[in-house]
């Protein structure tokens, strides 16, 4: 026989921990609202193993941040015998989805193709804004540069890296609009690294070389290319070519970095007009 004071056999009882009052109390876990539409990650380009792995990891990050969310991904086109679902196939299963383009910045070509798929699907799906510009992209760029040994890992620490770049080429694709948007992220990155950052177009011949020349003429000695792209929207050869053109080292594409996952979820919740208060788990 046990009692509120303890069990009859003398063993301790795990009692419910009282909720901690005040500002130190733990926040309630988030969860997707009941009946929330699916989040569909629109992956540019054809499917391939690397793009599939990246999309799967991002979807996993989003689900971890918002349990209960129906999160999926679809490619613009399937390639060869790849079993991946295309965007139109995913929308046939989730016609009221919120579609988040996996693009760091505006890209007229891919956005036009995404919109065409949504129109032809005759669904009520909505397409959100692209992921950037945003401070979280600057954070991700900083991390990729530091991973490559091209920037200080922590701007708060007062040490330097011998190979750290003193001039950054922020490489994007998508035309003039993409360059303009990336300029905002570039300002944020420059503030983090305390070095000049200039944007260049990956898809315009000679752009990277021209910007590299401008940085060197202004006194920069050690340049680095920072691709402001997620990955699937450009070929690996294009990124290698950018570093070759600039005659310097380069960081990896942003990929499935955690900040990218947070931006994907941010675009989804913003499209639905939700805030974190509306995503709290229901009281029991």
């Amino acid at each position: 026989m046990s009692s509120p004071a303890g069990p009859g056999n003398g063993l301790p009882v795990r009692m419910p921990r009282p909720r901690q009052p005040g500002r130190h109390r733990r926040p309630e876990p988030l969860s997707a609202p009941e009946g929330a539409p699916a989040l569909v990650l629109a992956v540019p380009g054809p499917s391939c193993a690397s793009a599939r792995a990246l999309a799967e990891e991002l979807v996993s990050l989003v689900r971890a941040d918002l349990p209960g969310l129906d999160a999926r991904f679809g490619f613009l086109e399937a390639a060869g015998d790849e079993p991946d679902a295309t965007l139109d196939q995913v929308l046939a299963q989730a016609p009221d989805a919120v579609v988040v383009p996996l693009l760091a910045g505006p890209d007229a070509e891919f956005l036009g193709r995404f919109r065409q798929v949504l129109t032809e699907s005759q669904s009520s799906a909505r397409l959100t804004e692209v992921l950037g510009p945003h401070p979280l992209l600057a954070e991700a760029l900083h991390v990729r540069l530091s991973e490559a040994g091209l920037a200080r890992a922590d701007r708060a620490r007062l040490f330097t890296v011998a190979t750290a770049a003193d001039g950054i080429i922020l490489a994007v694709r998508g035309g003039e609009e993409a360059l303009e948007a990336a300029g905002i992220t570039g300002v944020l990155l420059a503030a983090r690294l305390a070095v000049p950052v200039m944007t260049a177009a990956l898809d315009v011949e000679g752009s990277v070389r021209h910007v590299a020349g401008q940085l060197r003429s202004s006194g920069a000695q050690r340049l680095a290319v920072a691709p402001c792209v997620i990955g699937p929207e450009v070929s690996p050869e294009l990124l290698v070519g950018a570093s070759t053109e600039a005659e310097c080292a380069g960081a990896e594409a942003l990929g499935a970095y955690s900040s990218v996952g947070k931006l994907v979820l941010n675009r989804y919740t913003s499209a639905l007009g939700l805030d974190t208060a509306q995503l709290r788990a229901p009281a029991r």
Side-chain angles (χ1 to χ4, degrees):
M1 175 77 71
S2 62
S3 70
N9 59 8
L11 295 176
V13 172
R14 184 181 295 275
M15 302 298 289
R17 181 178 295 177
R19 296 184 71 175
Q20 191 173 12
R23 62 189 181 92
H24 295 295
R25 116 186 212 191
R26 293 180 180 177
E28 293 293 328
L30 304 184
S31 65
E34 185 176 353
L39 184 160
V40 174
L41 196 60
V43 186
S47 63
C48 65
S50 60
R52 184 191 321 118
L54 187 154
E56 287 174 346
E57 189 170 351
L58 282 174
V59 164
S60 177
L61 288 171
V62 168
R63 289 172 178 159
D65 281 344
L66 191 60
L69 176 63
D70 179 4
R72 319 179 187 191
F73 62 88
F75 290 88
L76 272 175
E77 55 190 272
D81 297 327
E82 297 289 346
D84 302 304
T86 55
L87 183 57
D88 57 339
Q89 292 171 333
V90 175
L91 291 179
Q93 302 169 357
D96 63 341
V98 173
V99 180
V100 181
L102 189 58
L103 295 168
D107 189 310
E109 177 189 349
F110 284 126
L111 288 174
R113 295 180 65 184
F114 289 146
R115 293 188 185 102
Q116 182 179 359
V117 172
L118 265 66
T119 299
E120 293 177 352
S121 71
Q122 298 183 334
S123 68
S124 58
R126 71 199 84 174
L127 185 69
T128 73
E129 298 292 327
V130 294
L131 303 183
H134 197 279
L136 286 176
L137 284 183
E139 175 191 311
L141 287 161
H142 186 172
V143 169
R144 292 296 182 239
L145 285 165
S146 66
E147 288 174 344
L150 300 170
R152 292 178 295 127
D154 187 345
R155 58 179 171 167
R157 297 176 185 169
L158 300 178
F159 67 84
T160 60
V161 179
T163 56
D166 58 5
I168 305 295
I169 302 169
L170 193 60
V172 302
R173 67 147 284 161
E176 288 298 324
E177 189 178 1
L179 284 169
E180 183 176 347
I184 300 173
T185 302
V187 169
L188 298 171
L189 181 61
R192 296 178 69 94
L193 301 180
V195 300
V197 177
M198 295 183 66
T199 58
L202 284 167
D203 47 352
V204 176
E205 186 176 355
S207 177
V208 173
R209 183 183 301 109
H210 175 69
V211 170
Q214 287 183 302
L215 283 167
R216 287 192 173 101
S217 65
S218 67
Q221 300 298 316
R222 299 181 305 278
L223 303 187
V225 174
C228 192
V229 295
I230 308 300
E233 68 272 44
V234 297
S235 67
E237 293 77 17
L238 196 60
L239 297 182
V240 172
S243 293
T244 301
E245 190 174 333
E247 300 179 349
C248 66
E252 298 290 330
L254 298 175
Y257 182 62
S258 58
S259 293
V260 177
K262 292 183 184 301
L263 280 173
V264 170
L265 185 57
N266 174 270
R267 291 296 181 249
Y268 172 83
T269 56
S270 295
L272 295 178
L274 298 174
D275 58 32
T276 53
Q278 293 171 290
L279 297 175
R280 296 296 178 194
R284 295 183 179 181

